[in-house]
Amino acid sequence: MNQHAHLRIGHSACPHDCPSTCALEVELLDGNRIGRVHGAKANSYTSGVVCAKVARYADRVHHPDRLLKPLVRAGAKGDGVWQEASWEAALDLVAEKFIAAEEKYGSETVWPYFYAGTMGLVQRDGIERLRHAKKYSGFFGSICTNLAWTGWMMGAGALRGPDPREMGKSDCVVIWGTNAVVTQVNVMTHAIKARKERGARIVVIDVYENATMKQADMGLVLKPGTDGALACAVMHVLFREGMADHAYLEKYTDDPKGLEVHLKTRTPEWAAAITGLGVAEIEAFARLVGTTKKTYFRLGYGFARQRNGAVNMHAASCIAAVTGAWQYEGGGAFHSNSGIFKLNQDVLEGTRMRDPSIRYLDHSRIGPVLTGASDALYGGPPVTAMLIQNTNPVNVAPEQRLVKQGFLRDDLFACVHEQFMTDTAKLADVVLPATMFVEHDDIYKGGGNQHITLGPKLIEPPAGPRTNHFVIEQLAGRLGVADRPGFGHTEQQHIDIILGKRGLGSFDSLKEEKWVDLQPDFETAHFIRGFGHADGKFRFHADWTGQAAPNRPPKSMGLFGPVARLPEFPDHVDLIEVADEAHPFRLTTSPARNFLNSTFSETPVSKAKEGRPELLLHPDDAAALNLADGDRVEIGNMRGEVVLHARLFDGIKRGVVIAEGIWPNSAHERGEGINVLTGADAPAPYGGAAFHDNKVWLRRARHFTGGKRPEKAEIPDLA
């Protein structure tokens, strides 16, 4: 007998910033508690599989350290002295401070700041309604997608692609720029299905032998930021050895002859010197994809973490056009389906109230913004008041020292709406307790698949936490804009409006259906009737300043970075932080299996499984520095320095070091996290955050520098 047969099951969607947005089945123990979380078996993309960290989500919902009451700072910033307050008093204080700031500097001094701590549309994006109604500073949300989306759009011209479930019908699946086992486990579900049922080969391309590469038939470990060189060499071989589909190229691409001429000098030998790969590895990969028509290129967000990421994404996507793989079921290239959903959120976000004269501020550059950099403020006033939801910038944003310096300003008032006392909440003036996804109504869309999924409220929250929507509505009343369009609706009413405008029914109908599949037909998804550009052609010839992109910065912000150095055709371009004599190592800050950005770092099993902040270091590099496994090492650059423990690992190139996961700053010896080392400069052409693109020096840490020495955690016995 099924031991879970007696359990009541609730249906929802994973709220986290993962392309899968998995459809979930949640065990409901009673009206206030959940048990295990499972992937929905009936959902054809999730297919019953969910990552282990989400499976144990009850550890977060019922965590003893969860925030339960509003808190007002009662000591110096960051000292951790708080006074409990009622919701009414806390919100009154926030409104009072916002009004005072606005009276002194104008409305643009207030900066509502959010991101993807929840992917739920209502709880995530409703903050924009308050922004527009009050004419607060605009928010250019650049931190995640920009470089990858820009590069993809350069070639395909539309943010869609072959059905991700078609990976199961492929003869070769290339997983490039994503550690799917860690960040989107469902990719592996369908890739492994193809291997079992069709004998498909799985190729993984990344900067180290990660959990995904361990499941590959062919693994290519290259140096960070060199993907474009590999792609060009592969296409060189395809043309040289007669594996290019000239009929397809002539019909569907803009300049195949120009591309072929350009690639004449982009030989495997040329790429080997740049990437660290062997010539034989490059040629074997090229011949595999060149002779396997049903090759599915699954291109991830790793491309968005390097300063040359847009160029690299474009180059990788070009391979499928050269082979003509788009023509076949189970073939082509895919990055995101975010362009297929076409949901109208005008009412939710209050976009009709938007004033185009109000400045935008770059989300990724919060450090320069809060420390008064003139180029970051775009001629406007200093930011002196903030409302922060769904993100933890003091931990996850680049140039952490600047971010912390900004939050510690006496003239900055910050209200943080959170589930736990994060690094950002610790530096706030008011902390408000937030609900979790099973405790409120919302709706989700998943760029990694094709579903819109409902996440209805499944249990009652504890007495204290309130929804993001509640906070926005309450502040609107106190700030005098509750009568403006879009306010006064419930979460369910907003969902009704969004679904109704798209002709997808209502909250109630979707609650019955659980999700809706919006995957385009084969010809649309595979661009058989033409690509997304006006001429229907896939573009090899790049226009980096004129190309539209889903998250292109507003015209008032202009272009970013060294645009003049972006190449006309796919290529390798050294816009990255190239290692030099003073900084001989390249650092990437790759995702940890048991964390998701800064989420799950508070749950005991996730913490125990990850152990402690470590630096993956090649044994030969360690020997050259006289370092042993477990030694304390200090890494640094012009932005600062951080202490970690060395873990010797031969699955990386020499000169490359990896720090997995975003540990809380307090988990590090000096109370400073890995993002001390990452840069906040905006990459070309449309911005972003190059988290995996850092040159650093490395040495033995000379002495212990205070605070509790982190120890390797033991995994608790959960039997």
Side-chain angles (χ1 to χ4, degrees), residues 307-308 311 562 565-567 572-578 684 693:
R307 288 172 177 79
N308 60 2
V311 174
R565 291 188 58 197
L566 298 174
H572 170 71
V573 57
D574 268 342
L575 297 176
I576 54 179
E577 286 196 355
V578 180
D693 185 0

Side-chain angles (χ1 to χ4, degrees), residues 502-522:
R502 185 68 163 82
L504 296 174
S506 65
F507 177 93
D508 289 336
S509 66
L510 190 55
K511 191 172 183 180
E512 289 295 316
E513 298 168 12
K514 302 180 183 64
W515 52 78
V516 57
D517 186 343
L518 293 180
Q519 178 64 38
D521 62 77
F522 176 86

Side-chain angles (χ1 to χ4, degrees), residues 464-493:
R466 300 285 190 273
T467 69
N468 289 358
H469 179 73
F470 171 87
V471 169
I472 299 306
E473 289 287 315
Q474 289 291 313
L475 286 177
R478 288 166 170 80
L479 295 167
V481 293
D483 60 340
R484 302 298 301 277
F487 292 101
H489 298 305
T490 66
E491 286 102 326
Q492 292 189 18
Q493 288 170 333

